[in-house]
């Protein structure tokens, strides 16, 4: 007997009708990307489920560890195979059950028998295996409806397959199934969580970060690198665009009254993002804004910021409170990165008394004293683009 296969159950893909095959193909590609460093795995995608196989135990352990972060998967189970022999099937069932918490649990055996030439019918298999398992694990009790342990047995021509452990998947849609958007990644708590929610809905991400040296330092940039690396672990690579923002930000502070510089700065970011979006074939801009959390996130501020672009702006956290955002950040392992004490360009230049209800006409009036167009184009042209996940060579580049 050997455990060398993972059975993957699809999530929302089961509702996609005629588009089902394209969603399954996208999920297969994302799984292949996630495990591109594992050389012995084989992936087979069928209409109702996917199989990931490897004879390398270490690789299979890596699959089980990483698969819960790939969107589009409802659940998955390690599968143990054995020969077409009743005594071997009993021993295999014992091994499968022994790996689970089986103390005082309810239990049943479910059997599929597509190989009709097997000498034992379904009821006989259920009776033989159940009797043996209950003898080996007397704390189990039989329960046919909604048991805590459901030992599934499938008898095929080449082997018998068994599984009982069901591991929860990430759910959602395969990344890339819903198009591509540009995430404004600040380095704080909110934007990575916003990115996570968009990835879960099948949106492939490009990332944009505004960097203002010498006011922000390389440690702040490295923090953003680490967040980008984390976001690339959910089934798809991402590109991070680092925008040199110092000149634009300083020009805003020269031309615009201090109490509305935050609004104007966000408007400049949107104008930069629009140009990057056009070059990367994205369909929307994603932000981590939550209504009323700070001065730039009131309805009046958001209206003034939106007015500078016709691009759809998606705000998945708009009705989410900070505690909920923190909880999600902890679940997806971005919290400890985001709270590192290295400030981004928005934090460094925050005015003492920002307007919480800026008037659009006043913001536009002060911005009209100077043309920002050339500064915006220059920032986009001089941006640095880095692909994640980084290889080990990428991570250590520049240290020698």
């Amino acid at each position: 007997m050997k455990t060398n296969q993972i059975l993957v159950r699809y999530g929302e893909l089961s509702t996609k009708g005629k588009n089902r095959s394209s969603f399954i193909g996208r999920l297969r590609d994302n799984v292949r990307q996630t495990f591109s460093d594992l050389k012995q795995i084989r992936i087979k995608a069928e209409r109702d489920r996917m199989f990931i196989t490897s004879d390398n135990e270490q690789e299979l352990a890596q699959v089980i560890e990483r698969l819960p972060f790939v969107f589009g998967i409802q659940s998955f189970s390690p599968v143990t195979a054995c020969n077409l022999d009743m005594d071997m099937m009993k021993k295999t069932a014992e091994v499968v059950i022994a790996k689970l918490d089986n103390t005082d649990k309810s239990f049943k055996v479910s059997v599929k028998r597509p190989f009709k030439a097997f000498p034992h019918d379904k009821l006989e298999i259920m009776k033989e295996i159940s009797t043996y398992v209950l003898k080996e694990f007397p704390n189990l009790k039989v329960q046919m409806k909604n048991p805590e342990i459901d030992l599934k047995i499938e008898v095929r021509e080449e082997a018998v397959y068994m599984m009982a452990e069901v591991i929860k998947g990430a759910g959602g849609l395969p990344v890339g199934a819903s198009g591509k958007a540009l995430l404004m990644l600040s380095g704080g708590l909110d934007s990575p969580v916003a990115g996570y929610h968009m990835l879960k809905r099948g949106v492939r991400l490009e990332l944009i970060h505004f960097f203002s040296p010498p006011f922000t330092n390389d440690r702040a940039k490295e923090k953003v690198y680490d967040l980008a690396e984390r976001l690339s672990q959910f089934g798809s690579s991402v590109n991070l665009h680092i925008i040199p923002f110092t000149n634009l930000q300083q020009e805003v502070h020269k031309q615009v009254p201090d109490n509305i510089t935050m609004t104007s700065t966000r408007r400049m970011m949107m104008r930069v993002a629009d140009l990057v979006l056009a070059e990367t074939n994205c369909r929307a801009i994603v932000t981590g804004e939550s209504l009323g959390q700070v001065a730039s996130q009131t309805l009046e501020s958001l209206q003034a910021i939106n007015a500078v672009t016709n691009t759809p702006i998606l705000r998945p956290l708009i009705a989410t409170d900070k505690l909920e955002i923190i909880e999600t950040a902890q679940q997806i392992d971005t919290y400890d990165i985001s709270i590192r004490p290295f400030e981004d360009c928005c934090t460094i230049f925050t005015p003492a008394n920002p307007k919480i209800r800026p008037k659009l006409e006043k913001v536009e009036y002060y911005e009209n004293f100077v043309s920002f167009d050339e500064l915006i184009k220059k920032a986009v042209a001089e941006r640095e683009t880095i692909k994640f996940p980084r290889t080990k060579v990428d991570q250590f580049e520049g240290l020698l």
Side-chain angles (χ1 to χ4, degrees), residues 232-341:
S232 73
Q233 304 304 308
F234 293 99
S236 173
S237 60
V238 298
N239 293 317
L240 172 65
H241 304 268
I242 303 288
I243 304 293
F245 200 54
T246 307
N247 293 339
L248 249 174
Q249 198 161 17
Q250 287 181 319
E251 193 64 31
V252 167
H253 279 260
K254 286 180 186 176
Q255 301 297 330
V256 175
D258 190 58
N259 62 356
I260 57 172
T261 54
M262 185 180 294
T263 302
S264 187
T265 298
R266 296 288 292 178
R267 283 164 57 87
M268 296 303 135
M269 288 179 173
M270 289 294 176
R271 292 180 62 181
V272 170
D274 258 345
L275 295 183
V276 175
L277 177 140
E279 293 182 14
T280 55
N281 297 315
C282 291
R283 300 289 184 182
I285 296 170
V286 180
T287 77
E289 290 159 322
S290 174
L291 188 62
Q293 189 177 120
V294 294
S296 64
Q297 296 174 17
T298 63
L299 285 177
E300 291 83 357
S301 293
L302 296 178
Q303 182 182 34
I305 293 165
N306 286 7
V308 80
T309 178
N310 291 319
T311 300
I313 302 174
L314 307 180
R315 297 180 169 98
L317 306 184
I318 196 67
T320 309
D321 67 37
K322 198 67 176 183
L323 292 178
E324 292 172 314
I325 294 169
I326 289 171
E327 183 178 350
T328 303
Q330 291 170 334
Q331 290 171 355
I332 65 173
D333 294 331
T334 59
Y335 178 81
D336 289 337
I337 304 171
S338 293
I339 63 172
R340 292 178 194 168

Side-chain angles (χ1 to χ4, degrees), residues 10-289:
Y10 304 139
E12 291 183 46
L13 307 191
S14 59
T15 67
K16 295 306 173 185
K18 293 180 180 180
N19 295 321
R20 185 188 183 98
S21 60
S22 65
F23 280 81
I24 292 172
R26 178 70 65 181
L27 177 60
R28 181 195 59 233
D29 292 344
N30 291 349
V31 170
R32 187 175 289 124
Q33 156 85 27
T34 301
F35 303 118
S36 59
D37 60 318
L38 305 182
K39 304 307 179 187
Q40 296 185 37
I41 71 162
R42 301 178 299 281
I43 300 167
K44 182 182 178 183
E46 298 181 352
R47 177 173 174 80
D48 297 312
R49 53 192 179 178
M50 179 184 295
F51 295 96
I52 304 172
T53 306
S54 177
D55 292 323
N56 185 312
E57 289 185 10
Q58 292 181 333
E59 286 197 351
L60 208 65
Q62 281 290 307
V63 172
I64 292 172
E65 183 179 332
R66 297 188 217 169
L67 206 55
F69 301 103
V70 178
F71 291 117
I73 294 173
Q74 176 188 356
S75 65
F76 61 94
S77 296
V79 179
T80 303
C82 71
N83 295 333
L84 292 155
D85 175 81
M86 183 60 77
D87 288 336
M88 183 60 72
M89 290 168 62
K90 291 176 181 178
K91 291 294 184 183
T92 303
E94 180 182 355
V95 169
V96 170
I97 298 296
K99 292 179 180 178
L100 306 177
D101 176 11
N102 53 62
T103 304
D104 296 325
K105 300 292 184 182
S106 56
F107 159 82
K108 82 169 183 177
V109 175
S110 304
V111 178
K112 290 184 178 180
R113 185 174 163 268
F115 181 47
K116 302 303 181 186
F118 188 64
H120 305 279
D121 62 26
K122 286 174 59 175
L123 289 176
E124 196 175 349
I125 295 169
M126 290 172 63
K127 181 181 178 181
E128 289 283 336
I129 300 298
S130 297
T131 301
Y132 182 85
V133 168
L134 289 170
K135 183 181 75 172
E136 297 298 320
F137 302 96
N139 286 327
L140 290 174
K141 58 182 179 181
V142 175
Q143 180 176 309
M144 299 306 292
K145 188 175 182 181
N146 300 321
E148 293 167 290
I149 297 175
D150 185 358
L151 176 62
K152 298 181 186 298
I153 301 174
E154 190 161 330
V155 181
R156 293 184 171 269
E157 185 174 0
E158 71 280 4
V160 176
Y161 299 96
M162 296 192 192
M163 70 193 86
E165 183 179 12
V166 178
I167 302 170
K168 186 178 179 182
L173 298 173
V175 175
S178 302
K180 188 162 67 166
L182 183 64
L183 171 67
M184 297 177 72
L185 185 64
S186 67
L189 283 164
D190 302 339
S191 53
V193 174
Y196 167 81
H197 284 296
M198 297 310 300
L199 288 167
K200 187 169 185 175
R201 297 314 304 158
V203 176
R204 188 181 298 277
L205 295 178
E206 296 274 330
L207 314 177
I208 185 170
H209 176 72
F210 297 87
F211 187 54
S212 296
F215 306 104
T216 54
N217 60 36
D218 285 340
R219 288 190 175 184
K221 189 195 287 189
E222 191 62 37
K223 179 166 91 166
V224 173
Y225 288 172
D226 289 344
L227 289 171
E229 187 76 31
R230 184 71 194 111
L231 289 173
S232 73
Q233 304 304 308
F234 293 99
S236 173
S237 60
V238 298
N239 293 317
L240 172 65
H241 304 268
I242 303 288
I243 304 293
F245 200 54
T246 307
N247 293 339
L248 249 174
Q249 198 161 17
Q250 287 181 319
E251 193 64 31
V252 167
H253 279 260
K254 286 180 186 176
Q255 301 297 330
V256 175
D258 190 58
N259 62 356
I260 57 172
T261 54
M262 185 180 294
T263 302
S264 187
T265 298
R266 296 288 292 178
R267 283 164 57 87
M268 296 303 135
M269 288 179 173
M270 289 294 176
R271 292 180 62 181
V272 170
D274 258 345
L275 295 183
V276 175
L277 177 140
E279 293 182 14
T280 55
N281 297 315
C282 291
R283 300 289 184 182
I285 296 170
V286 180
T287 77
E289 290 159 322

